[in-house]
Amino acid sequence: MLRKPLELYIHIPFCAKKCGYCDFLSTTAPVSVQKRYVEQLIEEIGCQSAHYPGYTVTSVFLGGGTPSLLEPNQVLDIMNAVKGHFPITEDAEVTIEANPGTVTVEKLEAWRDGGINRVSIGLQSSDDRELKKLGRIHSYDEFLKTYQRVRQAGFANVNVDLMSALPGQTVASWKTALKSVTMLKPEHISAYSLILEEGTPFYDQYHGHPELLPDEHEEREMYYVTKQFLHSHGFERYEISNYAKPGYECRHNIGYWTGAEYLGLGLGASSYIQGFRFCNEKDLDIYCRLGMGDNDVDSHLHREIVRLTEKEMMEEFMFLGLRMIKGVSMREFRKRFGAEMEAVYGDVLDRLLKNRLIVREGACVRLSEFGIDISNYVLSEFLL
């Protein structure tokens, strides 16, 4: 029987300290709560697997929060549960997010034993003053020690997260961050711009105070410097904010952008299966008390269940797929929806082509360089 590919996202919601800019579902918690959570997560893995017998897992992503906070045996137990309940392809990409200052030799050995083959390290900045303003718990020196440990443990696929447009950041300090990271020769770099999310301490502190942040001109210069500098060091941009050495693009995230099916496990984790979007219970205390062995676990674990209409699927195909630098395929659109892209989006395509915001190359449509500059506007045009 041919099995369908499935991506797994496993949410670890715990942090040593909540950063002021973060709006992810994460929190600090005592060791006892973390232990109970991991036990419940393993129960969920077993329970959920029974609902998806026709799938094979192609990628696993342990995100958070800070998954590297967990003890070595906890991560190993989670991965053994995944391997024990889901069929996994031999070449599956298995990523864990890690923060500097939370990684030990013992943890790295357990990760390797559990089948993890990719580590994503949250650096954000190489300037200790900027890190302090962000509320990060680590220094740049601690990042270097963590990176060295990861390499010495044998991990050959490493991502480093960087963030631009930070409070007090200059174009010069951003260039220094890029230089510092590329010298280490990671396989992948994610370079995001700070977004002030409503409801976070950063929003309260900086919204309405643009003088405390780099101005629009500086932010645009940081953006152009990123693309040019990383390209000159062998990193190709394959998505608006992601750069990789050839062959090291993050397969798990590409799945999100191209409409792959994925199952979220753990607190608040989101899923997209057979045209349905849903997420798990978001209250930590309630999640940890759910009866995962119940036959009707779906009814009290899953929340916000929505069946996407064909129109919504078309919209997502376009505005998620166009984040990819290579763009979207007109043939794939026809294959998925039984309609020509021009028949659905003809007026939008004509207008954006005329304004040089998109480019058509053969059977593909992609954002132009100008279109990437104002991507939020361009992508919103594909909402029907």
Side-chain angles (χ1 to χ4, degrees), residues 187-189 226-250 325:
E187 286 68 37
H188 191 286
I189 294 175
T226 304
K227 176 191 164 190
Q228 295 162 2
F229 186 86
L230 293 183
H231 178 75
S232 70
H233 284 77
F235 292 88
E236 293 302 319
R237 183 173 59 178
Y238 68 97
E239 190 270 344
I240 290 176
S241 301
N242 286 276
Y243 302 75
K245 294 292 181 69
Y248 288 95
E249 298 82 1
C250 180
I325 299 305

Side-chain angles (χ1 to χ4, degrees), residues 149-220:
R149 286 192 189 117
V150 169
R151 286 305 199 194
Q152 288 174 341
F155 287 93
N157 191 353
V158 178
N159 169 63
V160 176
D161 282 341
L162 287 172
M163 192 177 290
S164 62
L166 305 178
Q169 191 177 54
T170 65
V171 174
S173 68
W174 176 241
K175 287 180 180 178
T176 298
L178 292 172
K179 290 176 184 177
S180 300
V181 170
T182 53
M183 284 176 61
L184 298 172
K185 301 184 188 301
E187 286 68 37
H188 191 286
I189 294 175
S190 296
Y192 299 101
S193 179
L194 173 66
I195 298 175
L196 297 179
E197 300 287 0
E198 195 166 354
T200 64
F202 260 41
Y203 185 89
D204 297 336
Q205 184 176 357
Y206 295 108
H207 184 67
H209 298 281
E211 73 279 1
L212 301 177
L213 297 167
D215 62 30
E216 186 176 349
H217 173 75
E218 290 173 309
E219 188 173 351
R220 296 318 300 165

